[in-house]
Structure formats: C-alpha cells, structure tokens
Amino acid sequence: TSSGVFLLQMGWGDLGAFGEPSKETPNLDQMAAEGMLFLDFYTASPLCSPSRAALLTGRLPVRNGFYTTNGHARNAYTPQDIVGGIPDSELLLPELLKKAGYTNKIIGKWHLGHRPQFHPLRHGFDEWFGSPNCHFGPYNSTERPNIPVYRDWEMAGRYYEDFKIDLKTGEANLTQLYLQEALDFISKQQASQQPFFLYWAIDATHAPVYASKQFLGTSQRGLYGDAVREIDDSVGKILKHLQQLGISENTFVFFTSDNGAALISAPKQGGSNGPFLCGKQTTFEGGMREPAIAWWPGHIPAGGVSHQLGSVMDLFSTSLSLAGLQPPSDRQIDGIDLLPVILQGKLIDRPIFYYRGNELMAVRAGLYKAHYWTWSNSWEEHSKGIDFCPGQSVAGVTTHTQEEHTYLPLLFHLGRDPGEKYPLSFASEEYQQAVEHISGLVQQHKATLVPGQPQLNVCDQAVMNWAPPGCEKLGKCLKAPESDPKKCSWPH
C-alpha cells in the first residue's frame, strides 16, 4: 500500500466539512464524505518546523531535538540562519519505508534544517522539489539571500528571482508546479509498480499568502481563501488521478495541517480555527487542533467521523503499519497506529501532550484538558501589534506573562466548552477527579522523558542559503559572511 500525506498550514475552521460557511472546499469536503473525518486531531507543536520533525520521526519535538532551551516555553523554528537540523540519530519515516521497497518524494517545504547534512535526500527521501524554508523575502542578497528551490540534490533557482511571487497581487504559480510534480510522481510510480510515499507539504496559505492567476479574486475570503481554493482544487486532482490510474484502493491518503491557522495576519490573510481559542504559536486549541481526513477507498467506510484523539505523530506509526513494518524499538515513539480506529472504528485511550519549546504546557485526556502553563505572547510583543488571539481574551487564560498552574491546573471540559472559556471550579469533584487522572499521566510521561539535544539554540549568518549545491551552474552563488555563531533569540 502506498501512502500520501498532505501537510499544509490551515485552520480547523477552514474546510466546509468542518463548518466553514462559504463552502469553498468542495474537493476536501468530498474527500471527507468518502473517508473519515477526525474531529480531535492534533499537531505536536503550534509551529511549523517542530511539528514536521514530529510527523517524520513519530516523536515529540522535545525528544527529536526540535526545540530551544534559550528561553522558557519558546517556539523555535528553522529560519535561514539556524545552525541545527534533524539529527542523524533520528530515524525518519521515509528511511524506514525504504526497507519495504518504497520510493519517497517530498514536494514543498522541508523545514528540518538547510545545511548539507540535513538535506531530505540524506534522510530517506529519493526525490525533492521544493524549498528548505518558507517563501519569506524577497531579500537583497547582501544581508540575506533569497530562499533556494531544490530539484533533488541541487537548487533549481530562488524564490522571487526564478520562482516569482508577486507580493502586491499575491500571484504565484507555485501551487500549480507542486501539483504537477505530484501527478507526475504518482504516474511514474504506478508505471513501475513501486509502492510510494508522497509528502505534499505546500506553503501557499503561509503568509505571505499566494495563489495562481485563475484562483485570484475567486473566494469570499480574500487572498487566503483564494489560496485555500487552489489547494482544494489540487487535492481533488491528485485523488482523481489515483482513481483514474486504478490505484486509489492501494493508496492511503491523509490530509492535515502542521499548526492552527495563523491569526497574526487576520483578518486579511488569516485562516479560521472555528470555535477554538487563539491560533498558531499558542497551545490553546486554536494553535494545536487540526483539520484531518483519512481517505482509502474500499477500506475506509465512507462518511466516517472519529473522536479518536489523534496526532500528526500517528502518521508515522500508521504508515509503517500499512507497509508491514514495526516502529523502531530502541527509542520512545509517541505516535500510535490508527488503523484499528480507521478500519474498525475503535477508540484508543491515549493522552495528548501540548508542548511549547521545552515546556509541557497542557495535557488532554478524554474530554478534559489541563493547562499547567498559560501565555499567548509577551506584553512587549503584544504592544508591537503581534496578537495570536485577536478579538479573543479569556481572563487568566490568554495571559501575556507566563503563568504557572502546576499546583492548580486550569481545567476545561472540551465537550461542553471547546473554546476554553470556562475553567472548571477547583472545588468541584469533577475537577478533582479529572486532575488526579491527568497528573498521573504527567508523572508517567516526565519520569521517562529523555530530552534530545536542542537543535534550535544557535544561529549564524554564515550558514544561510548563500551558496547552496548547484548554485555554480546557475550563477546564483553568493559570498557568505564570516562565521559568527550566536544564541538565537525566540520572542514567542
């Protein structure tokens, strides 16, 4: 069985299947109608790089090194000047799938480090078309270079130079390029009868948002909606392609997101997290709960809806299970195999751990969520206009100082109160029973936790994308400055 994972930045409330009122995602809604919708599915971090590292390793970022110890409970990612990346000691899903004869391709952004030792083709992927970082820019080439776009081992050009993105109109044809890559790869694998793993990680909904010309201005939701419509159209074309090639019944497809919708650019370029509190960067539901759809015609009963607590890390274990492989036994794997849930409607009891950097911020068990730490962002950042919870404020919950609740966790019942607005009374029996249960889970978790070497502590301008492999052929090499390693600063 081949598998495909679509990983985008999108909010829980961005899809019609999850209640988005303008119903502009007919293909994803159809995918949900033909497959299974997960209503309680989570990422492993409220930010891109750590959650992608978690998906591909099946391990929490605090274990696989995708976190920082430069400050308490800080989100860190992989900007151009980051020195770290995915350690060689980590086993990635594509490396393991190779043992079962899979061919593996990543399309879109990698985000697991951009120096040569972190290249995806060194970590189990056979093909890559995309970039190591997000499409930030354009840059002036003296202080920082534009981000390269790779074709396998070598760069094919740079964003804004060879791969145009018009920041005024929001026009870029990148999603069309990424779609074509996916269709061609699937055709090639079908012709050679090879099982494949396709990781389609496109970035159109990440600010600065873009869409291609035929989608610009077609959404009721502005440019962000245009980007969502184009992604929806692309997913529809990929699923249809699998059906036309006659391999849809042998291909497990999963659609989800790497973090909640970013609200910092709302409402102009922000997505929707539905009824949930706050967004990207926070460990409230809006930052961590994701839209998720499993599709596998002939295997997954159509129209299924699951309340299984799921995680992007489960895609690691589930994909291995589909390939007839066991997860590695020499390390802690946080993902679980979802096949019994998807195929037999089972519910597996497991907690969800909400980390922000090096701190366990909250834990969900059943319908209860306990917050051990709360904060959205600092007053200093907030006063600059950076707001992760625009229009939402819950006293004592969406705090601008880091508040510790270790001794009396804030407890919410997410069934009655998905928006985390009404903490349960500390004196109630319901509170005491739920917190006692969750405290036991936390003690167990912390007792066995061996944090990985933090990869996101050191930044150095010299390691930026000045002269990526293949730059000579294109005349795109730039001179790197002197190495000057510093502690990275992570304000959130």
Side-chain angles (χ1 to χ4, degrees):
T1 301
S2 299
S3 50
V5 172
F6 301 153
L7 188 74
L8 318 161
Q9 178 178 314
M10 239 186 227
W12 198 90
D14 280 334
L15 307 187
F18 286 84
E20 200 286 312
S22 61
K23 292 274 189 279
E24 292 180 347
T25 53
N27 296 290
L28 285 161
D29 299 350
Q30 176 77 16
M31 181 185 181
E34 292 171 6
M36 178 176 270
L37 207 55
F38 282 85
L39 298 178
D40 297 75
F41 196 87
Y42 290 89
T43 181
S45 163
L47 208 64
C48 43
S49 310
S51 54
R52 287 159 194 268
L55 182 148
L56 291 172
T57 60
R59 286 152 56 78
L60 283 162
V62 72
R63 294 192 216 272
N64 65 35
F66 263 66
Y67 71 106
T68 183
T69 51
N70 288 358
H72 175 250
R74 302 285 166 154
N75 288 319
Y77 63 108
T78 49
Q80 284 203 62
D81 55 354
I82 201 80
V83 170
I86 195 70
D88 281 339
S89 56
E90 291 297 321
L91 287 171
L92 272 60
L93 177 58
E95 288 176 71
L96 297 165
L97 289 174
K98 269 188 167 342
K99 294 177 184 162
Y102 275 62
T103 303
N104 309 306
K105 177 157 188 156
I106 170 174
I107 297 173
K109 63 177 176 177
W110 166 238
H111 257 331
L112 267 58
H114 55 269
R115 293 165 66 212
Q117 67 266 41
F118 306 128
H119 192 294
L121 271 56
R122 283 194 199 277
H123 293 270
F125 283 102
D126 300 293
E127 297 182 20
W128 181 24
F129 179 71
S131 63
N133 315 72
C134 226
H135 56 281
F136 295 128
Y139 298 119
N140 63 7
S141 300
T142 53
E143 282 164 48
R144 54 189 50 214
N146 281 328
I147 311 276
V149 174
Y150 278 80
R151 157 91 50 215
D152 300 331
W153 285 109
E154 298 191 336
M155 72 182 282
R158 293 185 189 267
Y159 279 139
Y160 298 97
E161 296 167 22
D162 316 275
F163 295 89
K164 301 278 191 277
I165 302 169
D166 186 325
L167 292 182
K168 278 201 191 71
T169 63
E171 186 185 340
N173 71 339
L174 288 162
T175 302
Q176 293 304 308
L177 296 180
Y178 292 146
L179 167 61
Q180 200 52 51
E181 284 290 319
L183 301 176
D184 293 347
F185 174 70
I186 293 166
S187 297
K188 195 171 77 183
Q189 295 318 117
Q190 191 266 342
S192 67
Q193 304 286 295
Q194 282 279 104
F196 63 85
F197 170 61
L198 170 62
Y199 176 43
W200 199 64
I202 66 166
D203 60 3
T205 48
H206 191 296
V209 176
Y210 63 77
S212 57
K213 196 166 195 141
Q214 76 242 46
F215 290 93
L216 285 180
T218 64
S219 164
Q220 296 181 43
R221 307 180 60 203
L223 182 57
Y224 181 86
D226 298 341
V228 170
R229 288 200 60 180
E230 184 168 15
I231 288 167
D232 176 75
D233 180 74
S234 302
V235 170
K237 289 192 166 117
I238 293 170
L239 299 184
K240 197 169 174 188
H241 193 57
L242 291 169
Q243 285 167 321
Q244 285 168 341
L245 293 174
I247 55 173
S248 58
E249 296 203 358
N250 305 337
T251 311
F252 175 83
V253 183
F254 203 93
F255 172 91
T256 189
S257 173
D258 60 352
N259 44 245
L263 302 180
I264 177 175
S265 38
K268 280 269 170 72
Q269 290 196 10
S272 162
N273 295 314
F276 302 120
L277 187 61
C278 303
K280 178 177 176 175
Q281 302 261 14
T282 77
T283 48
F284 301 112
E285 292 295 287
M288 301 274 292
R289 201 187 297 205
E290 308 308 330
I293 304 167
W295 184 86
W296 188 15
H299 300 270
I300 298 177
V305 175
S306 178
H307 281 285
Q308 171 65 43
L309 298 192
S311 161
V312 291
M313 297 179 287
D314 301 343
L315 298 174
F316 175 88
S317 306
T318 307
S319 301
L320 291 177
S321 176
L322 283 163
L325 299 169
Q326 290 294 319
S329 55
D330 64 340
R331 61 198 62 209
Q332 179 72 43
I333 300 293
D334 296 293
I336 62 172
D337 177 5
L338 290 176
L339 286 186
V341 175
I342 292 168
L343 301 179
Q344 295 142 33
K346 290 207 165 128
L347 281 178
I348 300 165
D349 186 26
R350 63 92 74 90
I352 293 291
F353 297 108
Y354 301 69
Y355 270 88
R356 183 160 171 171
N358 57 351
E359 185 61 80
L360 179 62
M361 303 287 285
V363 178
R364 177 172 175 185
L367 286 166
Y368 292 102
K369 179 178 178 184
H371 288 270
Y372 291 89
W373 286 87
T374 52
W375 79 303
S376 56
N377 63 345
S378 66
W379 282 115
E380 186 192 357
E381 291 289 301
H382 191 254
S383 65
K384 292 180 195 164
I386 296 171
D387 191 349
F388 299 145
C389 312
Q392 293 177 311
S393 169
V394 181
V397 179
T398 54
T399 52
H400 291 294
T401 47
Q402 294 189 2
E403 298 289 334
E404 185 173 2
H405 310 279
T406 314
Y407 302 107
L408 268 184
L410 291 182
L411 186 73
F412 295 93
H413 184 290
L414 293 177
R416 302 192 294 260
D417 174 27
E420 295 170 285
K421 291 182 174 64
Y422 310 106
L424 272 70
S425 155
F426 297 136
S428 68
E429 196 175 323
E430 183 184 10
Y431 176 91
Q432 282 155 4
Q433 283 178 347
V435 165
E436 193 179 345
H437 174 57
I438 294 176
S439 298
L441 296 170
V442 170
Q443 275 168 327
Q444 230 175 327
H445 172 68
K446 290 199 163 165
T448 58
L449 182 71
V450 182
Q453 186 67 38
Q455 295 295 312
L456 309 179
N457 281 354
V458 182
C459 287
D460 185 351
Q461 278 193 299
V463 305
M464 291 205 273
N465 296 289
W466 301 104
C471 67
E472 305 84 4
K473 291 181 198 168
L474 301 173
K476 291 264 171 195
C477 305
L478 299 166
K479 190 174 168 356
E482 289 291 298
S483 177
D484 181 19
K486 290 185 169 69
K487 261 184 149 182
C488 312
S489 144
W490 301 113
H492 310 299

